[in-house]
Amino acid sequence: MKFVTTALVTSLIPSPFQSVAAFVPYNLQLKPTQQHAYQHIYSPIFQSTSASDVDSNKEENECPFKTFSMKFPRYRVSVSSSKDDPSYKAKGGGGIFSGIKSSFDKSTVERKYSTLVKSGHFFWIEPKIDVSDDEERVAKGKLGVAASAAVWNVLADTIDIVNKGNNSESIQVAISICNASTSGLAQLIDIINWYSAQQGQHIVAEMDKEVSVPTVILTVTKVHSPELSTITSKHNIMTTEQVIDGTMSWVKTVLVELGICPFTKSVTKSGQGLAEFGVPVGKIAYHHSTSKLDEIPRLMADTWGAILEMISAGPSGKEGISSILLSAPEFDENFSLWAGPVFAILEANVSAASAEPLVGVVCFHPKYKTPNGESWPGFGHMHSLPRLRKWLNEANEDLSMSLDDEEVAAGGAYQRRTPHATINVLRAEQLEAAEGRRSTASFYANNIGVLHNYGYDRLETGFSNDKL
């Protein structure tokens, strides 16, 4: 079977996104307690707040299709909870003098970092996104998305230059971002430093609080590791066209033809059936990230760049974007890394960017497993096995009695299994409308029954075909 399609959407979103605008994961000061090594290909070492990492990962390595549920290790990024510096409030505002003020600020900061300016390592960012008609929290979110995209992109490029070049052992860059939230940038700095400490990367992120524009300082030192030069994967020979075709194929078969997402009726657009909630139909933006396991900053740059593009395009009209499907094939063999640290970073970054009123992120992976209910997996994941069983009992008792727990877990897992590791980004208003539009119990019960009847072997065959 060969899948073919476009469009993922709201119907697969777990209930935590009902309150997506209210979720604030910072102020969490949980410390990692156990190291965790991953399989097959070289992969970074991350630390989890759970003691079940090794058992879960061993199970994944030995037989990825033997069981469809697992206890999720919980990764939390410890970030600061400082408030915005009020001295930045007036900077970059509107009015006839705003351009003059911006030029003065730029000249002042450039004088301080004249050496970096001369070496091409100073970046002045003025977000090209209109927030003039937005309420304050939406405007802050849009500017947070722009700041996140800029910082991750500069960091990823700098890492590439340092680790893949022969001229510098270390590079320092400065990024001044007009109208950025100082508290949001402080949290983004915490995220980057957490990533660096967990993975063993030589990255130091700091905030310069002495200049007139929020400025991030990044220092990247070359990593001398034999593993970094020996990473190989069959996925690195796949073209962007092949990767996107595989994802579109999955959407066509699973979401559209099987009806797993009732708000996706087309291979190019999503959001159908939500007009009464003020949610327009928009196109799906497909993206392919070539980032490798040790290149999470590049994955973040690709993701936040795609989100910025979606926010800038708006939800409707000829260029309007409804949702994003970003595939990263290099992560296909490592569900633990994808579902754990990668989504912990995304979760923390959505909050750091104040982007909860704008977007939510959802996890998909070719080896996805349903949470078994023994731990909280974090936002963006499928509901737990006990909850799916409860809803199945409520909506279709006969079907529930005919399926054992493994089959119910499989029904949950295959709602999140895709040909490649995939980040689905959805607009917050679409998430909220979808949750209000459907009956949760009957929705999940129906999906489990449809996928069970269709056959998981047929689904796996489709996934395999789409990876060729």
Side-chain angles (χ1 to χ4, degrees):
M1 174 188 64
K2 176 70 175 171
F3 298 146
V4 181
T5 299
T6 293
L8 173 59
V9 186
T10 54
S11 62
L12 299 183
I13 306 309
S15 59
F17 282 101
Q18 286 179 284
S19 57
V20 64
F23 173 59
V24 182
Y26 37 89
N27 293 329
L28 297 174
Q29 303 298 325
L30 301 181
K31 300 299 182 182
T33 57
Q34 183 177 7
Q35 288 194 334
H36 180 100
Y38 294 94
Q39 81 275 15
H40 303 314
I41 315 173
Y42 165 77
S43 181
I45 294 178
F46 281 89
Q47 295 176 325
S48 155
T49 56
S50 168
S52 65
D53 306 28
V54 176
D55 289 342
S56 296
N57 207 53
K58 179 180 178 182
E59 181 181 77
E60 175 186 342
N61 297 343
E62 290 179 346
C63 186
F65 304 116
K66 180 180 179 181
T67 179
F68 293 96
S69 66
M70 62 176 278
K71 179 179 180 179
F72 278 59
R74 184 64 172 127
Y75 297 84
R76 293 180 185 264
V77 184
S78 180
V79 298
S80 58
S81 58
S82 59
K83 296 182 179 179
D84 279 328
D85 185 341
S87 66
Y88 289 98
K89 288 290 185 181
K91 295 177 172 54
I96 61 175
F97 298 109
S98 61
I100 298 174
K101 180 67 170 65
S102 178
S103 297
F104 177 78
D105 286 338
K106 183 179 180 182
S107 297
T108 302
V109 178
E110 284 182 336
R111 281 197 296 272
K112 177 172 183 177
Y113 292 105
S114 59
T115 301
L116 296 182
V117 171
K118 291 178 182 178
S119 64
H121 296 149
F122 174 79
F123 301 87
W124 178 263
I125 308 296
E126 295 185 27
K128 306 299 182 183
I129 187 167
D130 184 15
V131 298
S132 57
D133 296 327
D134 295 319
E135 58 180 291
E136 183 177 353
R137 71 188 190 108
V138 173
K140 185 176 181 180
K142 288 182 177 180
L143 293 171
V145 168
S148 296
V151 172
W152 283 115
N153 190 61
V154 171
L155 176 58
D157 286 348
T158 304
I159 292 172
D160 284 347
I161 293 170
V162 171
N163 288 339
K164 297 177 182 179
N166 298 315
N167 298 325
S168 302
E169 285 291 312
S170 180
I171 291 179
Q172 185 176 82
V173 299
I175 315 165
S176 293
I177 309 175
C178 298
N179 299 322
S181 160
T182 54
S183 62
L185 283 182
Q187 291 160 14
L188 181 54
I189 285 170
D190 289 336
I191 293 168
I192 292 171
N193 288 330
W194 179 85
Y195 163 76
S196 178
Q198 295 282 348
Q199 194 184 22
Q201 291 279 359
H202 297 172
I203 304 167
V204 177
E206 305 168 279
M207 174 88 80
D208 185 345
K209 299 181 179 180
E210 298 179 354
V211 292
S212 57
V213 177
T215 299
V216 176
I217 310 299
L218 300 172
T219 304
V220 178
T221 303
K222 182 174 292 187
V223 176
H224 295 280
S225 173
E227 293 95 337
L228 295 180
S229 61
T230 60
I231 299 176
T232 58
S233 169
K234 64 182 180 181
H235 301 301
N236 60 20
I237 63 173
M238 297 185 71
T239 67
T240 294
E241 183 179 9
Q242 289 173 323
V243 172
I244 290 178
D245 281 350
T247 303
M248 293 176 68
S249 178
W250 168 79
V251 176
K252 178 177 182 293
T253 299
V254 176
L255 301 188
V256 178
E257 294 179 351
L258 294 181
I260 296 303
C261 178
F263 309 117
T264 300
K265 306 295 185 183
S266 164
V267 299
T268 57
K269 297 180 182 293
S270 66
Q272 295 91 339
L274 297 174
E276 62 183 288
F277 295 93
V279 177
V281 174
K283 67 181 180 181
I284 309 305
Y286 289 90
H287 294 267
H288 170 214
S289 175
T290 59
S291 57
K292 298 180 175 61
L293 298 178
D294 60 320
E295 296 175 339
I296 290 178
R298 175 61 65 194
L299 175 65
M300 294 298 119
D302 292 341
T303 301
W304 285 99
I307 294 174
L308 178 59
E309 178 183 312
M310 179 175 78
I311 297 302
S312 299
S316 60
K318 184 177 180 181
E319 301 300 324
I321 297 174
S322 174
S323 60
I324 295 167
L325 285 169
L326 184 145
S327 299
E330 292 292 331
F331 291 81
D332 285 359
E333 303 302 321
N334 204 319
F335 175 60
S336 296
L337 176 61
W338 186 256
V342 168
F343 266 77
I345 291 172
L346 277 173
E347 178 182 318
N349 202 158
V350 167
S351 181
S354 298
E356 299 98 332
L358 302 175
V359 298
V361 293
V362 188
C363 180
F364 289 82
H365 194 275
K367 296 184 179 181
Y368 195 90
K369 296 187 180 183
T370 298
N372 67 6
E374 296 180 19
S375 63
W376 165 242
F379 280 66
H381 287 286
M382 175 53 63
H383 291 286
S384 69
L385 174 57
R387 183 169 293 182
L388 292 177
R389 172 65 78 181
K390 176 178 179 292
W391 287 335
L392 197 57
N393 285 333
E394 293 174 359
N396 192 332
E397 187 175 0
D398 289 341
L399 177 61
S400 183
M401 292 179 62
S402 70
L403 301 179
D404 60 26
D405 283 349
E406 183 73 352
E407 290 169 315
V408 174
Y414 276 98
Q415 293 181 60
R416 294 299 185 84
R417 289 199 174 187
T418 43
H420 300 292
T422 298
I423 295 169
N424 178 216
V425 184
L426 298 162
R427 292 182 178 275
E429 63 267 25
Q430 190 180 32
L431 293 167
E432 294 171 0
E435 287 293 342
R437 179 72 174 77
R438 72 184 188 211
S439 168
T440 300
S442 60
F443 166 74
Y444 283 102
N446 177 74
N447 281 355
I448 290 170
V450 167
L451 292 170
H452 178 75
N453 291 334
Y454 185 80
Y456 304 128
D457 288 342
R458 293 178 67 188
L459 291 168
E460 285 299 334
T461 299
F463 295 156
S464 297
N465 290 341
D466 286 327
K467 290 183 180 182
L468 297 179

PDB file of all heavy atoms in Angstrom, residues 82-100:
ATOM      1  N   SER A  82      11.655  35.153  35.623  1.00  0.00           N
ATOM      2  CA  SER A  82      11.782  36.601  35.784  1.00  0.00           C
ATOM      3  C   SER A  82      10.748  37.329  34.923  1.00  0.00           C
ATOM      4  O   SER A  82      10.249  36.797  33.926  1.00  0.00           O
ATOM      5  CB  SER A  82      13.184  37.050  35.382  1.00  0.00           C
ATOM      6  OG  SER A  82      13.445  36.707  34.035  1.00  0.00           O
ATOM      7  N   LYS A  83      10.448  38.557  35.299  1.00  0.00           N
ATOM      8  CA  LYS A  83       9.510  39.382  34.540  1.00  0.00           C
ATOM      9  C   LYS A  83      10.278  40.224  33.528  1.00  0.00           C
ATOM     10  O   LYS A  83      11.478  40.428  33.643  1.00  0.00           O
ATOM     11  CB  LYS A  83       8.715  40.280  35.487  1.00  0.00           C
ATOM     12  CG  LYS A  83       7.810  39.522  36.460  1.00  0.00           C
ATOM     13  CD  LYS A  83       7.017  40.469  37.322  1.00  0.00           C
ATOM     14  CE  LYS A  83       6.094  39.700  38.266  1.00  0.00           C
ATOM     15  NZ  LYS A  83       5.312  40.620  39.140  1.00  0.00           N
ATOM     16  N   ASP A  84       9.542  40.732  32.534  1.00  0.00           N
ATOM     17  CA  ASP A  84      10.173  41.590  31.535  1.00  0.00           C
ATOM     18  C   ASP A  84      10.756  42.837  32.180  1.00  0.00           C
ATOM     19  O   ASP A  84      10.168  43.410  33.116  1.00  0.00           O
ATOM     20  CB  ASP A  84       9.162  42.011  30.469  1.00  0.00           C
ATOM     21  CG  ASP A  84       8.959  40.945  29.413  1.00  0.00           C
ATOM     22  OD1 ASP A  84       9.923  40.223  29.123  1.00  0.00           O
ATOM     23  OD2 ASP A  84       7.841  40.832  28.883  1.00  0.00           O
ATOM     24  N   ASP A  85      11.897  43.251  31.689  1.00  0.00           N
ATOM     25  CA  ASP A  85      12.532  44.480  32.143  1.00  0.00           C
ATOM     26  C   ASP A  85      11.725  45.663  31.610  1.00  0.00           C
ATOM     27  O   ASP A  85      11.630  45.865  30.399  1.00  0.00           O
ATOM     28  CB  ASP A  85      13.972  44.539  31.604  1.00  0.00           C
ATOM     29  CG  ASP A  85      14.743  45.733  32.144  1.00  0.00           C
ATOM     30  OD1 ASP A  85      14.104  46.686  32.618  1.00  0.00           O
ATOM     31  OD2 ASP A  85      15.986  45.712  32.072  1.00  0.00           O
ATOM     32  N   PRO A  86      11.119  46.480  32.496  1.00  0.00           N
ATOM     33  CA  PRO A  86      10.276  47.589  32.036  1.00  0.00           C
ATOM     34  C   PRO A  86      11.032  48.638  31.230  1.00  0.00           C
ATOM     35  O   PRO A  86      10.438  49.400  30.477  1.00  0.00           O
ATOM     36  CB  PRO A  86       9.723  48.180  33.345  1.00  0.00           C
ATOM     37  CG  PRO A  86      10.701  47.752  34.397  1.00  0.00           C
ATOM     38  CD  PRO A  86      11.186  46.403  33.963  1.00  0.00           C
ATOM     39  N   SER A  87      12.363  48.673  31.380  1.00  0.00           N
ATOM     40  CA  SER A  87      13.149  49.668  30.650  1.00  0.00           C
ATOM     41  C   SER A  87      13.133  49.417  29.151  1.00  0.00           C
ATOM     42  O   SER A  87      13.491  50.297  28.363  1.00  0.00           O
ATOM     43  CB  SER A  87      14.599  49.680  31.150  1.00  0.00           C
ATOM     44  OG  SER A  87      15.246  48.459  30.836  1.00  0.00           O
ATOM     45  N   TYR A  88      12.728  48.212  28.739  1.00  0.00           N
ATOM     46  CA  TYR A  88      12.665  47.901  27.314  1.00  0.00           C
ATOM     47  C   TYR A  88      11.290  48.176  26.719  1.00  0.00           C
ATOM     48  O   TYR A  88      11.112  48.101  25.516  1.00  0.00           O
ATOM     49  CB  TYR A  88      12.996  46.418  27.066  1.00  0.00           C
ATOM     50  CG  TYR A  88      14.447  46.075  27.277  1.00  0.00           C
ATOM     51  CD1 TYR A  88      14.864  45.517  28.470  1.00  0.00           C
ATOM     52  CD2 TYR A  88      15.385  46.313  26.285  1.00  0.00           C
ATOM     53  CE1 TYR A  88      16.201  45.194  28.679  1.00  0.00           C
ATOM     54  CE2 TYR A  88      16.722  45.990  26.474  1.00  0.00           C
ATOM     55  CZ  TYR A  88      17.124  45.429  27.687  1.00  0.00           C
ATOM     56  OH  TYR A  88      18.432  45.113  27.883  1.00  0.00           O
ATOM     57  N   LYS A  89      10.317  48.522  27.543  1.00  0.00           N
ATOM     58  CA  LYS A  89       8.936  48.608  27.081  1.00  0.00           C
ATOM     59  C   LYS A  89       8.753  49.601  25.941  1.00  0.00           C
ATOM     60  O   LYS A  89       8.021  49.357  24.996  1.00  0.00           O
ATOM     61  CB  LYS A  89       8.010  49.010  28.240  1.00  0.00           C
ATOM     62  CG  LYS A  89       7.796  47.911  29.276  1.00  0.00           C
ATOM     63  CD  LYS A  89       6.963  46.794  28.709  1.00  0.00           C
ATOM     64  CE  LYS A  89       6.646  45.761  29.786  1.00  0.00           C
ATOM     65  NZ  LYS A  89       5.858  44.644  29.262  1.00  0.00           N
ATOM     66  N   ALA A  90       9.425  50.739  26.049  1.00  0.00           N
ATOM     67  CA  ALA A  90       9.195  51.786  25.063  1.00  0.00           C
ATOM     68  C   ALA A  90      10.036  51.634  23.810  1.00  0.00           C
ATOM     69  O   ALA A  90       9.856  52.347  22.848  1.00  0.00           O
ATOM     70  CB  ALA A  90       9.485  53.149  25.688  1.00  0.00           C
ATOM     71  N   LYS A  91      10.947  50.706  23.844  1.00  0.00           N
ATOM     72  CA  LYS A  91      11.870  50.579  22.724  1.00  0.00           C
ATOM     73  C   LYS A  91      11.206  49.910  21.532  1.00  0.00           C
ATOM     74  O   LYS A  91      10.506  48.929  21.674  1.00  0.00           O
ATOM     75  CB  LYS A  91      13.101  49.791  23.146  1.00  0.00           C
ATOM     76  CG  LYS A  91      13.919  50.541  24.205  1.00  0.00           C
ATOM     77  CD  LYS A  91      15.083  49.709  24.656  1.00  0.00           C
ATOM     78  CE  LYS A  91      16.014  50.493  25.547  1.00  0.00           C
ATOM     79  NZ  LYS A  91      15.367  51.112  26.676  1.00  0.00           N
ATOM     80  N   GLY A  92      11.462  50.466  20.357  1.00  0.00           N
ATOM     81  CA  GLY A  92      10.939  49.860  19.138  1.00  0.00           C
ATOM     82  C   GLY A  92       9.471  50.116  18.909  1.00  0.00           C
ATOM     83  O   GLY A  92       8.848  49.473  18.096  1.00  0.00           O
ATOM     84  N   GLY A  93       8.878  51.074  19.654  1.00  0.00           N
ATOM     85  CA  GLY A  93       7.457  51.353  19.488  1.00  0.00           C
ATOM     86  C   GLY A  93       7.167  52.086  18.198  1.00  0.00           C
ATOM     87  O   GLY A  93       8.044  52.384  17.399  1.00  0.00           O
ATOM     88  N   GLY A  94       5.896  52.424  17.992  1.00  0.00           N
ATOM     89  CA  GLY A  94       5.514  53.095  16.760  1.00  0.00           C
ATOM     90  C   GLY A  94       5.778  54.588  16.839  1.00  0.00           C
ATOM     91  O   GLY A  94       6.446  55.088  17.735  1.00  0.00           O
ATOM     92  N   GLY A  95       5.232  55.324  15.884  1.00  0.00           N
ATOM     93  CA  GLY A  95       5.419  56.764  15.869  1.00  0.00           C
ATOM     94  C   GLY A  95       6.485  57.195  14.881  1.00  0.00           C
ATOM     95  O   GLY A  95       7.284  56.406  14.405  1.00  0.00           O
ATOM     96  N   ILE A  96       6.520  58.510  14.603  1.00  0.00           N
ATOM     97  CA  ILE A  96       7.427  59.014  13.574  1.00  0.00           C
ATOM     98  C   ILE A  96       8.889  58.943  13.994  1.00  0.00           C
ATOM     99  O   ILE A  96       9.785  59.031  13.146  1.00  0.00           O
ATOM    100  CB  ILE A  96       7.065  60.474  13.218  1.00  0.00           C
ATOM    101  CG1 ILE A  96       7.198  61.374  14.456  1.00  0.00           C
ATOM    102  CG2 ILE A  96       5.680  60.545  12.632  1.00  0.00           C
ATOM    103  CD1 ILE A  96       6.980  62.856  14.152  1.00  0.00           C
ATOM    104  N   PHE A  97       9.163  58.807  15.307  1.00  0.00           N
ATOM    105  CA  PHE A  97      10.541  58.779  15.755  1.00  0.00           C
ATOM    106  C   PHE A  97      11.069  57.363  15.982  1.00  0.00           C
ATOM    107  O   PHE A  97      12.212  57.189  16.377  1.00  0.00           O
ATOM    108  CB  PHE A  97      10.697  59.582  17.059  1.00  0.00           C
ATOM    109  CG  PHE A  97      10.360  61.029  16.903  1.00  0.00           C
ATOM    110  CD1 PHE A  97       9.216  61.556  17.474  1.00  0.00           C
ATOM    111  CD2 PHE A  97      11.188  61.871  16.167  1.00  0.00           C
ATOM    112  CE1 PHE A  97       8.899  62.893  17.325  1.00  0.00           C
ATOM    113  CE2 PHE A  97      10.879  63.217  16.021  1.00  0.00           C
ATOM    114  CZ  PHE A  97       9.729  63.735  16.596  1.00  0.00           C
ATOM    115  N   SER A  98      10.230  56.354  15.741  1.00  0.00           N
ATOM    116  CA  SER A  98      10.650  54.984  16.039  1.00  0.00           C
ATOM    117  C   SER A  98      11.843  54.557  15.196  1.00  0.00           C
ATOM    118  O   SER A  98      12.743  53.859  15.659  1.00  0.00           O
ATOM    119  CB  SER A  98       9.484  54.006  15.837  1.00  0.00           C
ATOM    120  OG  SER A  98       9.047  54.027  14.493  1.00  0.00           O
ATOM    121  N   GLY A  99      11.861  54.964  13.919  1.00  0.00           N
ATOM    122  CA  GLY A  99      12.980  54.607  13.061  1.00  0.00           C
ATOM    123  C   GLY A  99      14.277  55.234  13.515  1.00  0.00           C
ATOM    124  O   GLY A  99      15.338  54.612  13.497  1.00  0.00           O
ATOM    125  N   ILE A 100      14.189  56.499  13.948  1.00  0.00           N
ATOM    126  CA  ILE A 100      15.383  57.188  14.452  1.00  0.00           C
ATOM    127  C   ILE A 100      15.887  56.509  15.706  1.00  0.00           C
ATOM    128  O   ILE A 100      17.090  56.287  15.880  1.00  0.00           O
ATOM    129  CB  ILE A 100      15.049  58.667  14.734  1.00  0.00           C
ATOM    130  CG1 ILE A 100      14.633  59.362  13.441  1.00  0.00           C
ATOM    131  CG2 ILE A 100      16.240  59.372  15.370  1.00  0.00           C
ATOM    132  CD1 ILE A 100      14.161  60.781  13.646  1.00  0.00           C
TER     133      ILE A 100
END
